[in-house]
Amino acid sequence: MTKPVIDYSLYLVTGRELLPHGKDYYESLEESLKGGVTVVQVREKNADTGEFLVVATKTKAICDKYNVPVIINDRVDIALAMHAAGVHIGQTDMPLPVARSLLGDKAVIGASVGNVEEAKRAVEEGADYVGIGAVYPTGSKSDAKLLGVRGVGPILTVLGGSTVKSVVIGGVKTVNLLRILHGSVSPTGKHVDGAAVISEIVSSTDPETSARKLRLILDSFLKSGPSTYITSSPNSLALTPAGSNEFVERASKLLDKVKDITPMIHQITNNVVTNQSANATLALGASPIMATTPAEMEDLAKIPGALLINYGTIGDKLGMMEAGKWANFYRKPIVFDPVGAGATQYRKSSASELLNVWQPTVIKGNAGEIGAILGSDEVQSRGVDSVGVGFKNPAEVVMTLARRERCIIVLTGVQDYISDGRVVLRLSNGHPLLGNITGSGCMVGTVVATFVGAQSILSSGPIKEGEEDGKIVRGDMLLAASAGVLALTVAAEIAASQPGVKGPTSFLTALIDALYNLTSYDIMTRAKLEILP
């Protein structure tokens, strides 16, 4: 007998205690197999040996009809007795080398890992696959340590170069699967091989449909290839310094589309800038809504446009979590503005908490804020402001963070740097008066959200089943984010040149007017954009 080759994409972990009232376990199992489950782990924490063996044997008989392998949780004796494909062991279970000595080289052995050191040990000891997590809180294992989605990438880096496969586990649901998959990629593009699911299928009254929905997302994502995962232009790799003018021309035309489409921009923002952010949105031709109540978030996410989350005053964190979760589910772009992220430990931890719940399309911030998200102390924060001259190599910073966070990074300053992890743009428009009004950086976030919302709508249409179910947003988000920054900074130059502008107050009024009167020609003729080599 040779070691089985397993498709780990939809990995079902059983749990009879989670079945709906009146639902038979074996009936539920067969329905889930019809829905597309590719491997089954039998988990029986409360059964005695005899009962476990009966359940496992019957499970295997059903799975054999669908050519789906069975793995036993923890119990090597059960796996041997009923000829399972292998076992899965946790950190406190039988050591992997001992399990291997009992099961032999032809058995598949998986190991639970929750950090880089555990992953290294699993590779060294010969694990065939690892279960990485918990990525979200889970009710099936109360003692599971929360790794978070953003903790998966470093573990995948450890697996790079090995033949060890991987699945994510812990709180995996249809509503968050796309976010989990998108975030569970190493900086070099290595992605997970599947997702382990428990309650989403086992607790369902219709496990076949539940499994089919999960499988659709998994198949689309895993077949796309890692190069398409970043929420950006599929052609950004082809951008060269010589193409700056053509890029600016395409970006400038988006302004006309904003006015035609009038996208709804849902903004959860700080109470210092709510009014001027709404006015800036209206001036561009879009429609703002400033809603924070968690109960509204799913309904708002269904409306085409974009979501801006600006946590300057961090008063609505639960609303932010719900809004981002549903925006990901409905493939709506999210712009995250972590205002003052480096000012306090609470702000740092809040940013991490939010980024583990949902996947941003764009992260926008000044040097202090971007440094805090990156974990760099090169630039310090004083309140919401950066201190010092900025990063020595801002292009490298935005490229590195974009690859890690799987999104567009917008670093604002005297010069703005934007990256999707594959290319870096440098923008040099703007005016010093922007630094003398409250919330100018927040307004950049608003304008970027307006443009990515319009771009998302332009790229909408019927999703071709199996082709685009794995995309977390659609449209050229690098182009849209750049267009948003250009719109605000070009408008600032126009506003500052007005005869009536004498200082910050008159400048702010003129800036709103300039956004209102801004044309694509203004952007095209004034833009100072470089595509860096």
Side-chain angles (χ1 to χ4, degrees):
M1 186 183 81
T2 59
K3 182 178 292 188
V5 177
I6 295 179
D7 176 356
Y8 291 97
S9 56
L10 185 51
Y11 184 126
L12 174 64
V13 180
T14 67
R16 290 186 295 159
E17 70 280 3
L18 300 173
L19 287 164
H21 179 70
K23 189 74 172 179
D24 177 73
Y25 164 71
Y26 300 108
E27 175 190 26
S28 173
L29 173 65
E30 186 147 17
E31 289 177 13
S32 70
L33 291 166
K34 291 177 180 177
V37 165
T38 59
V39 57
V40 173
Q41 180 194 134
V42 183
R43 188 167 179 262
E44 290 285 334
K45 289 296 185 183
N46 301 316
D48 59 30
T49 299
E51 182 183 9
F52 197 156
L53 182 58
V54 169
V55 171
T57 302
K58 289 184 177 181
T59 296
K60 185 176 183 299
I62 294 171
C63 289
D64 283 348
K65 293 193 298 182
Y66 297 88
N67 294 314
V68 170
V70 172
I71 291 172
I72 300 300
N73 178 261
D74 184 19
R75 296 288 298 272
V76 172
D77 57 336
I78 299 291
L80 286 167
M82 43 74 66
H83 306 293
V87 296
H88 183 90
I89 53 180
Q91 289 296 313
T92 59
D93 296 333
M94 180 183 292
L96 196 152
V98 176
R100 177 66 70 196
S101 69
L102 295 170
L103 291 166
D105 294 336
K106 306 305 181 184
V108 170
I109 300 181
S112 298
V113 299
N115 56 51
V116 166
E117 291 306 314
E118 290 173 357
K120 287 179 178 178
R121 186 164 62 250
V123 172
E124 291 168 358
E125 293 180 347
D128 295 290
Y129 77 92
V130 293
I132 305 173
V135 289
Y136 276 82
T138 174
S140 62
K141 195 172 183 182
S142 58
D143 61 342
K145 293 181 180 179
L146 185 62
L147 171 69
V149 177
R150 296 165 78 224
V152 177
I155 290 176
L156 291 174
T157 299
V158 171
L159 303 184
S162 76
T163 60
V164 179
K165 302 295 185 180
S166 62
V167 296
V168 285
I169 189 168
V172 178
K173 311 286 185 185
T174 305
V175 71
N176 63 22
L177 177 58
L178 193 53
R179 185 276 172 275
I180 293 170
L181 292 173
H182 188 93
S184 299
V185 181
S186 76
T188 58
K190 183 176 177 60
H191 57 82
V192 294
D193 298 288
V197 181
I198 308 176
S199 62
E200 185 78 349
I201 294 176
V202 177
S203 297
S204 174
T205 56
D206 185 0
E208 182 176 349
T209 299
S210 297
R212 186 170 287 114
K213 288 179 179 178
L214 292 161
R215 183 66 185 270
L216 191 63
I217 296 170
L218 283 158
D219 284 351
S220 178
F221 185 87
L222 295 172
K223 289 176 182 177
S224 297
S227 64
T228 64
Y229 291 169
I230 298 176
T231 54
S232 178
S233 165
N235 300 314
S236 70
L237 278 173
L239 292 177
T240 64
S244 297
N245 291 337
E246 187 270 340
F247 187 87
V248 167
E249 183 177 357
R250 289 195 294 128
S252 65
K253 290 178 179 177
L254 268 180
L255 177 61
D256 297 327
K257 299 300 183 182
V258 169
K259 297 179 185 298
D260 291 341
I261 294 169
T262 63
M264 190 196 80
I265 310 303
H266 176 197
Q267 302 178 55
I268 303 178
T269 191
N270 68 79
N271 53 30
V272 178
V273 301
T274 301
N275 185 64
Q276 69 191 48
S277 294
N279 283 334
T281 309
L282 287 167
L284 286 166
S287 175
I289 182 168
M290 299 353 218
T292 61
T293 304
E296 295 184 282
M297 297 311 166
E298 182 177 4
D299 288 338
L300 289 172
K302 296 175 183 177
I303 303 171
L307 168 67
L308 169 68
I309 294 182
N310 172 317
Y311 79 166
T313 46
I314 322 184
D316 307 290
K317 193 160 67 171
L318 181 57
M320 294 176 186
M321 289 181 176
E322 284 294 300
K325 178 185 76 174
W326 288 111
N328 280 170
F329 182 71
Y330 288 105
R331 296 169 173 80
K332 190 171 186 174
I334 302 173
V335 176
F336 181 40
D337 189 349
V339 177
T344 66
Q345 187 56 47
Y346 178 70
R347 286 175 183 267
K348 290 179 183 177
S349 63
S350 293
S352 180
E353 187 177 3
L354 291 170
L355 289 171
N356 268 316
V357 172
W358 38 255
Q359 173 64 50
T361 310
V362 180
I363 298 177
K364 181 225 72 86
N366 61 31
E369 293 155 354
I370 294 299
I373 299 296
L374 182 61
S376 167
D377 59 2
E378 183 180 347
V379 179
Q380 301 298 313
S381 294
R382 182 181 60 206
V384 300
D385 298 319
S386 293
V387 178
V389 296
F391 294 107
K392 292 179 181 177
N393 190 342
E396 181 181 353
V397 167
V398 294
M399 177 82 83
T400 299
L401 189 57
R403 288 176 176 173
R404 193 188 80 184
E405 298 297 338
R406 313 295 296 162
C407 68
I408 310 298
I409 301 298
V410 175
L411 169 62
T412 58
V414 175
Q415 290 180 309
D416 305 308
Y417 289 81
I418 304 176
S419 179
D420 65 347
R422 296 180 287 192
V423 67
V424 177
L425 311 178
R426 180 167 59 205
L427 287 61
S428 303
N429 292 96
H431 193 276
L433 278 171
L434 282 169
N436 294 111
I437 61 171
T438 298
S440 61
C442 299
M443 200 180 295
V444 175
T446 291
V447 178
V448 168
T450 299
F451 277 80
V452 300
Q455 178 72 336
S456 174
I457 295 172
L458 283 171
S459 304
S460 64
I463 294 178
K464 296 178 182 179
E465 187 171 303
E467 292 184 17
E468 295 187 305
D469 296 276
K471 293 184 179 180
I472 202 159
V473 294
R474 290 195 287 174
D476 190 338
M477 295 294 127
L478 178 66
L479 182 75
S482 303
V485 175
L486 284 172
L488 191 281
T489 53
V490 167
E493 292 176 354
I494 294 171
S497 69
Q498 299 307 302
V501 171
K502 305 299 182 184
T505 302
S506 52
F507 171 70
L508 177 57
T509 301
L511 180 57
I512 300 296
D513 288 344
L515 286 170
Y516 179 78
N517 293 302
L518 191 67
T519 67
S520 57
Y521 182 78
D522 292 329
I523 296 176
M524 192 160 49
T525 56
R526 288 174 172 266
K528 301 171 186 174
L529 182 147
E530 305 164 78
I531 300 172
L532 299 185

